[in-house]
Amino acid sequence: MTVPTSTQTKPTHATNTDAGNAARRPGLGSQLLRRKPIGQMVSEAGSSESGTPLVRSFGVLQLTMISVGATLGTGILVILGESVPLAGPAVWISFVVAGLAALFSAVSYAEMAGLVPVAGSSYSYSYATMGEGMAWICGWCLVLEYAVSVAAVAVGAGQYVNETLAAFGQFLPDAMSQPPGSGGVVNVPAMLIVVLAMVLLVRGAKESAWINTAIVTIKIVILLFFCAVAFTAFNAGNFEPLMPMGAAGVSAAASRVFFSYIGFDAASTAGEEARNPKRDLPRAILLSMVIVTSIYVLVAVAAIGARPWEWFGGTEAALVQILEETTHQPWIALVFSIGAVLAIASIVLTVLYGQTRILLSMSRDGLVPEVFGRISPRTGTPVAGTLIVGTAVALTAGLVPLGALADATSIGTLFAFALVNVAVIYLRRNRPELKRSFRVPLYPITPVLGTLMCAYLMANLGADTWVVFGGWMLVGIALYFGYGRRNSKVAALTEQEYRELSARVADPETVKAELS
């Protein structure tokens, strides 16, 4: 039997004419429900349209640091000032709620990452379980989640750049450090950080991972340093009343900060660049969740203990201001501000990395143009895709305000996480014979709770966010019918090829031998 692989878009016996492809392509309903065989996914791992494989160079340390790098710092360094007015002193509970929802999904990600260790993350998991239609929706949500979250985090860079310059009596004018709608013309620091991350990713994934590991270490140190200083000014009275806005305020803040927990999702996109993905991906995902949630809660408690919750309203770079007011030592604020800029840079680097790998996987399936799947033989990275994505994200970061970006990112993230929980349930019921290096504990309670918590947090997002999400989905549907439906490689399989591939267990060596 001859079937299409990543470099072979049509079976050898198939006609090369569009008429021939159209004649054998399934109807719309069948195509939307057609699942990609897991065995085929595994066999394609690490390849591209050019035939050049991704380089397997990541161990559990690098994978964990990708998770932590993409996660740690976003909610604290960038949007703490916007979250505290929603929840009051109970903002730390908002981080716990969001972290709990993320943890339920994280264990589902851990099972799926060990089972399907490919670059597509939840897009690939949805394709394997719910079919091409839902996979496209999930992939389109991931574009929203990753690209927009990079822009959202980069927007906060201008605040910390100004805090750094203030130590030397200098500052950037709002026209150069704020986007339109926030008193500025273009956020230059945000654009520069995205461009620098893009250049680094083009050079090579291994080099990027080691630089990220060093930056993440610095980030953890400066956040722990903040806690040590803030606890010297701790006032327990700042936590009364605990919930001035009630439980609704806590839920609203949890929905907003949830986008801070997408780091483990970024790690799952490294499935084809991990040396031992079935073992190391689940470990990295769970370890990063423990590290990130613990530090988020610790920093939130320290910040509220140091200042009344009303103080945070409209405050930019809140942690730096707390350090300045507590120590009266400008050099301390300077060091923290420099560390904060590095922290934001590490988030931009790792999440932008994840976005390029999602598009690479979608390109391999024919759902987005081939340019996103081309891997450079020299660097082992998708250079063209990285340049395209990086340019688009840099423009978004420079021109769109933070609040709109953060909420739009949250809804895309929550939707993708819910689908992964459903994917675990589906494969447990329908493919119990598949080998799993990690199994979700307390199944099926855990994935069910993960799905419900994601739905609950989505319901707490504002109407404007849902309108933006609906518009984004309409654009995605138009793109699918305009390009993806006609170019899908899974849809190009004959019924016989599809049935035979679907019946095979996802053993990489067996499938590769049968596909050759």
Side-chain angles (χ1 to χ4, degrees):
M1 181 187 73
T2 305
V3 297
T5 64
S6 59
T7 58
Q8 182 182 345
T9 59
K10 301 178 181 65
T12 55
H13 61 270
T15 177
N16 290 325
T17 65
D18 292 336
N21 286 335
R24 60 191 233 119
R25 191 173 298 277
L28 175 60
S30 298
Q31 182 171 344
L32 292 176
L33 295 175
R34 177 169 276 198
R35 298 182 292 273
K36 185 174 183 180
I38 294 177
Q40 186 181 5
M41 288 186 181
V42 175
S43 72
E44 293 175 348
S47 63
S48 72
E49 291 300 326
S50 63
T52 302
L54 293 167
V55 180
R56 292 194 178 274
S57 59
F58 297 161
V60 67
L61 174 63
Q62 289 84 10
L63 293 170
T64 302
M65 290 299 104
I66 288 174
S67 277
V68 176
T71 309
L72 186 59
T74 312
I76 293 294
L77 293 173
V78 179
I79 64 167
L80 185 64
E82 297 187 15
S83 302
V84 173
L86 294 175
V91 68
W92 67 270
I93 299 178
S94 298
F95 278 107
V96 172
V97 171
L100 186 60
L103 181 61
F104 282 130
S105 298
V107 293
S108 291
Y109 263 95
E111 177 167 324
M112 293 301 296
L115 182 62
V116 190
V118 296
S121 185
S122 50
Y123 157 76
S124 294
Y125 309 155
S126 298
Y127 213 156
T129 56
M130 287 169 275
E132 183 170 292
M134 193 58 71
W136 170 261
I137 292 174
C138 183
W140 193 237
C141 283
L142 288 174
V143 173
L144 179 67
E145 172 189 341
Y146 279 82
V148 178
S149 67
V150 170
V153 174
V155 166
Q159 303 168 8
Y160 286 97
V161 168
N162 265 336
E163 291 294 334
T164 302
L165 294 175
F168 303 98
Q170 305 294 323
F171 67 93
L172 288 175
D174 285 347
M176 296 178 61
S177 62
Q178 298 291 340
S182 298
V185 176
V186 60
N187 192 328
V188 175
M191 296 185 71
L192 286 177
I193 283 182
V194 175
V195 170
L196 289 173
M198 177 181 68
V199 171
L200 185 58
L201 287 173
V202 166
R203 289 179 59 85
K206 183 177 181 180
E207 294 81 359
S208 302
W210 279 112
I211 292 174
N212 175 66
T213 298
I215 295 176
V216 170
T217 302
I218 295 172
K219 178 162 55 175
I220 293 174
V221 170
I222 67 165
L223 288 174
L224 294 178
F225 172 73
F226 166 81
C227 293
V229 173
F231 276 121
T232 65
F234 191 85
N235 180 3
N238 290 344
F239 290 87
E240 297 178 0
L242 181 62
M243 298 183 186
M245 308 300 178
V250 174
S251 297
S255 297
R256 170 156 291 189
V257 304
F258 188 84
F259 92 105
S260 306
Y261 286 91
I262 67 169
F264 64 85
D265 192 4
S268 69
T269 66
E272 295 178 22
E273 290 160 281
R275 289 193 294 267
N276 190 345
K278 287 182 173 291
R279 182 196 68 187
D280 292 343
L281 279 175
R283 292 180 180 180
I285 288 170
L286 298 178
L287 181 58
S288 66
M289 282 300 302
V290 172
I291 293 172
V292 167
T293 304
S294 300
I295 294 180
Y296 271 165
V297 173
L298 183 63
V299 173
V301 169
I304 294 295
R307 290 293 178 272
W309 70 272
E310 297 91 347
W311 177 88
F312 289 86
T315 302
E316 295 184 349
L319 302 191
V320 174
Q321 293 190 37
I322 290 174
L323 287 176
E324 288 179 338
E325 295 175 7
T326 301
T327 65
H328 304 291
Q329 297 292 330
W331 69 268
I332 291 180
L334 172 63
V335 171
F336 188 88
S337 296
I338 294 173
V341 173
L342 290 174
I344 291 172
S346 76
I347 299 169
V348 171
L349 177 66
T350 50
V351 179
L352 188 62
Y353 162 85
Q355 174 68 95
T356 60
R357 272 50 179 182
I358 294 291
L359 289 172
L360 183 149
S361 187
M362 296 178 73
S363 173
R364 180 185 294 152
D365 295 328
L367 299 184
V368 299
E370 293 182 358
V371 64
F372 292 103
R374 295 174 187 164
I375 298 175
S376 167
R378 184 174 64 85
T379 65
T381 61
V383 173
T386 301
L387 292 175
I388 294 171
V389 172
T391 300
V393 170
L395 292 173
T396 304
L399 300 174
V400 181
L402 170 62
L405 290 173
D407 285 349
T409 302
S410 292
I411 196 167
T413 305
L414 287 163
F415 188 84
F417 285 6
L419 290 181
V420 174
N421 286 293
V422 173
V424 168
I425 296 172
Y426 174 88
L427 286 180
R428 285 285 193 99
R429 289 174 57 89
N430 294 278
R431 298 300 301 272
E433 80 282 1
L434 296 177
K435 295 180 181 179
R436 293 165 171 83
S437 59
F438 174 86
R439 300 178 71 88
V440 169
L442 301 178
Y443 174 86
I445 296 174
T446 301
V448 169
L449 286 178
T451 305
L452 293 176
M453 290 196 73
C454 288
Y456 173 73
L457 291 176
M458 289 178 71
N460 277 280
L461 291 170
D464 291 345
T465 303
W466 278 96
V467 170
V468 171
F469 183 67
W472 180 261
M473 286 294 103
L474 289 177
V475 172
I477 291 171
L479 289 175
Y480 174 76
F481 282 101
Y483 185 90
R485 170 158 162 72
R486 293 184 292 107
N487 293 278
S488 168
K489 295 178 182 177
V490 172
L493 292 169
T494 66
E495 284 296 326
Q496 179 183 354
E497 291 166 346
Y498 177 70
R499 286 195 301 269
E500 292 182 2
L501 271 177
S502 299
R504 282 162 170 74
V505 177
D507 177 70
E509 299 305 321
T510 301
V511 175
K512 285 182 180 179
E514 292 174 343
L515 288 173
S516 61

